[in-house]
Amino acid sequence: MTIVTFAEKNKAAAQIASILGEGEVEKITVEGLPAYEFKWKGEEWLVMGLSGHIMNYDFPEQYNKWNEVNPGVLLGVDPQKLVTRADYAAAVKKLAKRANKIVLACDYDREGENIGFEAKTLSEEVTNVPIERARFSSLSPKEVKKAFESLIDPDYNMAMAAEARQILDLKMGAAFTRFVTLSVRERARTKDILSIGPCQTPTCGFVYEREKAIRSFQAKDFWKITAIFSAESGKEGDDFEGTHRAGNIHDKEKAAEIFKRLKGAKEGLVAKKTVKEAKTSPPNPLNTTEFLKRASKFLGVSPELALEVAEQLYLAGFTSYPRTETNKYADDFDFKSLVFDFARQKEYKPFAESILIAPIVPKNGEKDAHDHPPIHPIRVASRGEVSSAVNIPQAPEVYDLIARHFLANLMPAAVFEKTHLHLLVQEEPFDSSGTVLKDSGWLEAYPFENKKDKLLPFVEEGQKVGIKKLSNTKSKTSPPKKLTEAELLTLMDKNRIGTKATAPTHIETNKKRGYLETKGKTISILDIGFTLMEGLSLTVPILVRPEIRAKIEALIQEVEDGKKEFEAALDEGTALIKEMYAQLEANKKDLTSSIAGTIKDEAALEDKKNYIGTCKACGHVLRIVQTDSGRFVGCTGYPDCRNSYPLPKSGALTVLRSKECKKEGVAVLKVGNKYNWAVGIGPCFTCDLEKECYPPETVGPCPECDGSMFLITFKDTRFLGCTKRCGYTHSVPKTGKLTLLDKTCETCGWKLFRLKEEGDSPEEEFCVNRRCAEGRKYWKKPGKGAETRIKEKASVSRSAASSAANPTVSSATNSATSPATRLAATPAAEKTSKVLTTGLKKNKEKT
């Protein structure tokens, strides 16, 4: 008689074959895949490991063209279950033909049962031999042999529960993802797929809600009054801190009033002393969720990786099956044999021996899911053994956590002594507390939660204590902290999002989609995730919240429990999904406006060259828009928001980020090298506030009046002019890069210039003032110019200097806007510009 067994993975198949074949196993290949042949109890056995699911649901091919099929149609289509691993399917059928009996030995949970049924379905296509089930929770020799000696019937309801979840998740995920993605693409250029999932989306929603609370948080001031007391015993650790009983005082005047009453106090009175003994019980046995939380919190290992490590430890025979909801041990659990095993390992010996000297009583939880025992070690192993068997760096740490948790669970409670002092200072109440660990109990084996003592000195009621310092400290309230992965798992478990086996997968899926990321032990939502959740939350909040998913999970559980037929659960689940989809369709416009607008906002923000600012009308982003007919500043909220502003038709545009328009223009742009433009206002040279926005950078006092000299730069020349337009001008070097410095001449007080001629000539710093002894030294050098005074008719001279006195940008570098150019920008100024040019030519001739 030949018996064929299908395990979930090759590693499990090898373990089963080794245990039942007692080492006399022949490895063979079937369709290129490994299988194991041996004899047990006079029968021929063949064991093969599958590759997890080898079949999966999908819609018929004609429904897979996104742009040709209305997404809502998918909710009424029955998906097909198709083979996804043809090599494994062929091997299953080939082995089934040789079998007189088939045994399913996949993991004993919902998904494992469903994987076994995939092998069962394929086998039944080629044979009708009996098919039975081997159920075990660990790959220990004792349990594996017991399972194969007492085979049971496959669990149809459990397998169909997984089937129902697959179908409902496919319908919702496919329909909703296509609808949102295609709708947003109608209004925004994006190639991204906006993935919506029945568990993935509520999981992301938890992180979104926390992030929203953080962003909307407004810090408030508070004051805390503290005192440093001294028992004056002269011993080390004599000082201790007390806090005024009012705690965080949000009223500044109230805090000041209390503190005023305390002013000058030199001592306090111990009005009351309370000492209590408190016990902290060991943790409950580990179920999957608690294990994942603790691995994340204590080891910094992500839930997905922790579950992968735990599964490999299970397959290697170190620990029990890692997917369980049970957190209590069965009454007949053999603790003593396992603890004896740990007493032989140096690292765990002290804890194991302390357990064995008394009756063993575990600290049990309340949940018995009748699936597997809590996660526990099935044999003791050193770190080296674990590393050799499981090629994952975190494996020894994860095994150590499971081992120590198991031992701690069997140890006595930790005992603390808690002391509370009620003190009076000028009749004002203060409190001080301390905790001392009197008996470490289970904490001895469990260093992850060791608590540090907060000691108080020995004082008695009625004793006076000194005051070293009194403080009234101002602080601010802190925003909520980002979620940790452990906290997220707790929220998912509480709201029935996913299962013990799938919860880590939903977190990881959000990471792969670019919605979430982890930094250390905390988890954050990324911009695209926040955008998607914000849009869904504002328009179809039922998608983000966990209530509907919890209802669907309840339906699936009813199938597993045999309380609801498979087809009935599918009908009810599909009706719930259709209800959500109807809301999605009804809110399409608002949803896509929100998401598409934000996507366009993000693209505009990344385009630093064309980004202008925030639209005052709708809050979206303003940016420079180029079209065939011209350019303008437009809003990313278009077409819902039509706010726009004109721009000059020609000239390169540069956004001046440091400039702010005093007339509340949206932004200030530089147009070529000619003039500035305030978006929404117009050219700055026509504005009566231009002098306030662009005050000239002065060099020093004018020698002729009470004005100041400043640098005027034209295309072909540059010189100093007077801010009071008195007509006095002063020459500067005509070539080279000229920079006005903050340093001043010690002789005349004018600011110094730095000149860098082209080529390799060195930089030179000098005073330009010809009426200064230091300045004359510079001008006497060969090749320097002479002092100049323009003596034209007063009206012409002063008009020209007046026009030059206020350039758009006055700078010591050769990049300032030319006043003559600016004046020439309008026909009315053309004549004035010519007069100024004539004056400059005469000035040159005189020089």
Side-chain angles (χ1 to χ4, degrees):
M1 183 174 179
T2 300
I3 303 174
V4 172
T5 296
F6 296 111
E8 192 161 323
K9 293 182 178 177
N10 178 59
K11 199 167 184 179
Q15 283 274 59
I16 292 167
S18 177
I19 291 168
L20 298 182
E22 297 180 348
E24 296 184 10
V25 179
E26 182 182 353
K27 185 176 180 180
I28 63 172
T29 58
V30 182
E31 297 293 330
L33 299 170
Y36 305 91
E37 194 169 14
F38 58 92
K39 286 187 177 183
W40 186 55
K41 293 194 174 183
E43 310 285 359
E44 295 287 340
W45 285 75
L46 284 162
V47 182
M48 173 189 164
L50 303 174
S51 180
H53 285 286
I54 60 174
M55 300 178 74
N56 206 356
Y57 276 102
D58 198 0
F59 291 107
E61 189 175 349
Q62 65 266 32
Y63 293 98
N64 288 330
K65 295 179 180 179
W66 283 37
N67 293 315
E68 296 179 12
V69 178
N70 185 322
V73 170
L74 300 177
L75 299 179
V77 175
D78 292 328
Q80 302 169 333
K81 193 159 193 179
L82 306 171
V83 171
T84 55
R85 295 298 304 267
D87 50 348
Y88 280 91
V92 167
K93 290 180 180 180
K94 190 169 186 177
L95 286 175
K97 289 178 181 178
R98 295 175 56 182
N100 299 109
K101 183 166 73 173
I102 293 173
V103 176
L104 307 178
C106 297
D107 296 344
Y108 191 73
D109 62 6
R110 193 183 288 169
E111 290 303 315
E113 199 69 20
N114 190 259
I115 291 167
F117 265 66
E118 291 173 6
K120 178 176 180 289
T121 300
L122 293 169
S123 297
E124 288 174 340
E125 292 180 12
V126 297
T127 185
N128 60 355
V129 299
I131 299 178
E132 296 184 281
R133 176 66 153 110
R135 173 184 174 180
F136 46 86
S137 295
S138 74
L139 288 169
S140 67
K142 181 180 177 182
E143 191 161 352
V144 168
K145 288 179 180 179
K146 181 180 177 182
F148 278 86
E149 287 169 348
S150 50
L151 298 172
I152 59 175
D153 291 332
D155 193 329
Y156 173 81
N157 291 334
M158 184 179 280
M160 288 301 101
E163 205 93 343
R165 182 194 59 75
Q166 292 171 16
I167 294 171
L168 293 174
D169 285 1
L170 173 63
K171 285 187 174 185
M172 181 177 174
F176 285 51
T177 296
R178 291 191 197 183
F179 179 88
V180 174
T181 300
L182 294 174
S183 298
V184 170
R185 285 180 181 175
E186 291 174 6
R187 307 189 62 165
R189 293 181 179 179
T190 177
K191 294 181 179 180
D192 292 335
I193 293 176
L194 298 172
S195 175
I196 307 292
C199 293
Q200 167 200 318
T201 300
T203 298
C204 191
F206 291 130
V207 187
Y208 159 75
E209 291 293 344
R210 178 61 62 89
E211 182 65 25
K212 191 168 68 167
I214 293 171
R215 294 186 185 186
S216 63
F217 176 81
Q218 293 184 339
K220 294 182 179 179
D221 294 336
F222 70 88
W223 288 260
K224 181 182 282 189
I225 299 172
T226 57
I228 302 298
F229 296 103
S230 174
E232 299 181 349
S233 63
K235 296 179 181 178
E236 188 177 348
D238 190 54
D239 295 348
F240 62 100
E241 185 177 279
T243 304
H244 192 280
R245 190 164 290 177
N248 295 345
I249 306 169
H250 293 277
D251 186 332
K252 181 180 179 180
E253 293 182 0
K254 180 182 177 182
E257 182 183 336
I258 294 172
F259 195 66
K260 185 178 180 181
R261 292 199 292 268
L262 298 168
K263 192 174 181 180
K266 299 298 182 184
E267 64 179 20
L269 175 70
V270 180
K272 188 176 181 180
K273 177 181 179 180
T274 305
V275 181
K276 290 183 179 179
E277 187 175 273
K279 294 184 177 182
T280 302
S281 297
N284 288 333
L286 285 174
N287 60 16
T288 303
T289 302
E290 194 62 28
F291 161 68
L292 296 176
K293 286 160 56 177
R294 289 174 181 260
S296 174
K297 180 180 179 181
F298 298 143
L299 306 179
V301 177
S302 72
E304 187 179 53
L305 178 58
L307 195 57
E308 172 62 22
V309 173
E311 177 148 340
Q312 293 304 315
L313 291 171
Y314 155 72
L315 292 172
F318 292 118
T319 59
S320 63
Y321 189 62
R323 295 181 178 89
T324 177
E325 295 180 5
T326 298
N327 66 355
K328 63 186 299 186
Y329 289 106
D331 294 338
D332 60 351
F333 189 94
D334 184 7
F335 293 106
K336 187 164 285 188
S337 298
L338 188 52
V339 176
F340 266 120
D341 196 16
F342 273 91
R344 291 192 289 269
Q345 180 74 30
K346 181 180 178 181
E347 190 172 359
Y348 305 109
K349 183 178 181 179
F351 322 127
E353 288 180 341
S354 71
I355 294 169
L356 291 170
I357 62 175
I360 299 177
V361 180
K363 165 64 169 58
N364 273 329
E366 298 179 351
K367 181 69 179 290
D368 184 358
H370 303 288
D371 51 359
H372 298 279
I375 302 170
H376 65 279
I378 61 171
R379 69 181 180 91
V380 71
S382 66
R383 289 176 176 266
E385 286 181 88
V386 174
S387 294
S388 297
V390 180
N391 189 26
I392 302 176
Q394 295 83 352
E397 284 71 29
V398 172
Y399 173 82
D400 183 59
L401 172 64
I402 294 171
R404 288 179 177 274
H405 196 100
F406 168 75
L407 294 170
N409 178 256
L410 307 179
M411 295 173 72
V415 181
F416 295 88
E417 183 181 86
K418 296 188 175 183
T419 302
H420 177 262
L421 300 180
H422 172 206
L423 303 107
L424 292 176
V425 180
Q426 307 283 56
E427 299 304 315
E428 292 291 331
F430 281 73
D431 294 289
S432 184
S433 297
T435 301
V436 178
L437 180 62
K438 304 295 286 185
D439 185 346
S440 56
W442 64 275
L443 290 173
E444 189 73 27
Y446 209 72
F448 315 108
E449 289 193 11
N450 265 342
K451 297 177 174 61
K452 294 182 179 179
D453 291 346
K454 181 185 175 183
L455 299 173
L456 290 176
F458 183 80
V459 293
E460 294 286 2
E461 284 187 11
Q463 179 179 334
K464 290 183 178 180
V465 292
I467 297 175
K468 286 190 172 182
K469 185 179 180 182
L470 279 167
S471 304
N472 181 18
T473 307
K474 179 184 177 182
S475 301
K476 288 185 179 292
T477 53
S478 301
K481 293 182 179 179
K482 290 184 180 292
L483 283 174
T484 64
E485 286 194 286
E487 291 170 330
L488 180 55
L489 285 166
T490 300
L491 286 170
M492 294 172 69
D493 185 51
K494 181 180 178 181
N495 291 278
R496 302 182 69 181
I497 300 300
T499 65
K500 58 187 180 293
T502 62
T505 306
H506 302 314
I507 297 175
E508 203 61 29
T509 298
N510 276 294
K511 293 180 189 176
K512 290 175 181 176
R513 301 295 187 201
Y515 299 162
L516 302 179
E517 70 172 354
T518 50
K519 291 183 178 179
K521 295 179 182 179
T522 62
I523 190 160
S524 303
I525 191 165
L526 297 171
D527 287 342
I528 186 64
F530 191 90
T531 296
L532 181 59
M533 293 302 109
E534 180 90 338
L536 294 173
S537 183
L538 292 173
T539 55
V540 197
I542 196 172
L543 260 178
V544 178
R545 293 173 186 161
E547 289 83 0
I548 293 294
R549 184 60 202 181
K551 290 181 180 178
I552 292 175
E553 288 290 350
L555 287 172
I556 294 169
Q557 188 61 50
E558 286 185 289
V559 173
E560 182 173 331
D561 296 339
K563 297 177 181 178
K564 191 175 290 292
E565 293 293 329
F566 171 71
E567 293 295 341
L570 284 183
D571 291 342
E572 289 185 39
T574 302
L576 289 170
I577 295 171
K578 285 181 177 179
E579 178 185 330
M580 289 191 287
Y581 191 83
Q583 292 189 34
L584 199 63
E585 284 188 312
N587 292 279
K588 176 181 177 179
K589 182 179 178 182
D590 292 338
L591 172 65
T592 53
S593 293
S594 173
I595 298 176
T598 307
I599 289 174
K600 288 191 284 187
D601 285 351
E602 290 168 357
L605 286 168
E606 290 176 3
D607 184 3
K608 302 298 183 184
K609 182 179 179 181
N610 292 311
Y611 168 69
I612 294 295
T614 302
C615 177
K616 295 178 181 179
C618 70
H620 282 295
V621 173
L622 294 173
R623 85 281 195 213
I624 297 171
V625 180
Q626 304 275 354
T627 67
D628 293 338
S629 58
R631 57 188 179 178
F632 62 93
V633 170
C635 177
T636 56
Y638 180 85
D640 298 319
C641 178
R642 296 181 177 271
N643 195 20
S644 64
Y645 304 95
L647 290 174
K649 293 182 179 179
S650 61
L653 299 176
T654 304
V655 183
L656 302 178
R657 305 288 177 196
S658 61
K659 291 291 182 182
E660 186 174 334
C661 177
K662 293 185 180 294
K663 287 195 172 181
E664 298 186 353
V666 177
V668 180
L669 310 179
K670 189 176 186 64
V671 185
N673 198 32
K674 296 180 179 179
Y675 61 95
N676 290 349
W677 180 287
V679 176
I681 305 296
C684 294
F685 60 74
T686 64
C687 179
D688 58 341
L689 297 180
E690 184 189 23
K691 292 179 184 177
E692 293 183 33
C693 294
Y694 308 102
E697 189 173 13
T698 59
V699 177
C702 175
E704 296 289 312
C705 70
D706 60 351
S708 298
M709 303 302 291
F710 72 102
L711 184 67
I712 301 171
T713 302
F714 289 88
K715 182 178 180 181
D716 299 321
T717 189
R718 58 192 177 191
F719 58 91
L720 300 182
C722 177
T723 57
K724 290 293 184 73
R725 306 174 177 86
C726 72
Y728 179 79
T729 63
H730 193 297
S731 59
V732 295
K734 298 294 184 277
T735 60
K737 181 180 178 182
L738 196 62
T739 304
L740 185 61
L741 306 176
D742 288 333
K743 301 178 184 177
T744 56
C745 175
E746 294 181 359
T747 303
C748 68
W750 274 26
K751 288 185 178 179
L752 301 182
F753 280 96
R754 179 190 295 129
L755 180 67
K756 178 68 173 71
E757 296 280 6
E758 293 182 3
D760 297 330
S761 58
E763 291 183 343
E764 187 176 11
E765 292 184 7
F766 60 92
C767 174
V768 77
N769 188 359
R770 286 179 177 277
R771 298 191 179 189
C772 167
E774 291 298 318
R776 286 195 292 272
K777 289 180 184 178
Y778 171 77
W779 288 110
K780 285 181 180 179
K781 294 179 180 180
K784 308 303 179 185
E787 181 180 8
T788 304
R789 177 189 280 282
I790 299 177
K791 293 182 178 179
E792 295 293 329
K793 292 181 179 179
S795 60
V796 174
S797 172
R798 295 181 185 280
S799 173
S802 173
S803 299
N806 193 19
T808 302
V809 179
S810 293
S811 170
T813 64
N814 196 17
S815 62
T817 299
S818 163
T821 304
R822 176 162 51 79
L823 286 166
T826 59
E830 186 176 352
K831 185 176 180 180
T832 306
S833 179
K834 288 179 180 178
V835 172
L836 180 59
T837 305
T838 302
L840 287 169
K841 287 181 178 178
K842 289 182 178 180
N843 185 30
K844 286 184 178 180
E845 290 169 2
K846 289 182 179 182
T847 302

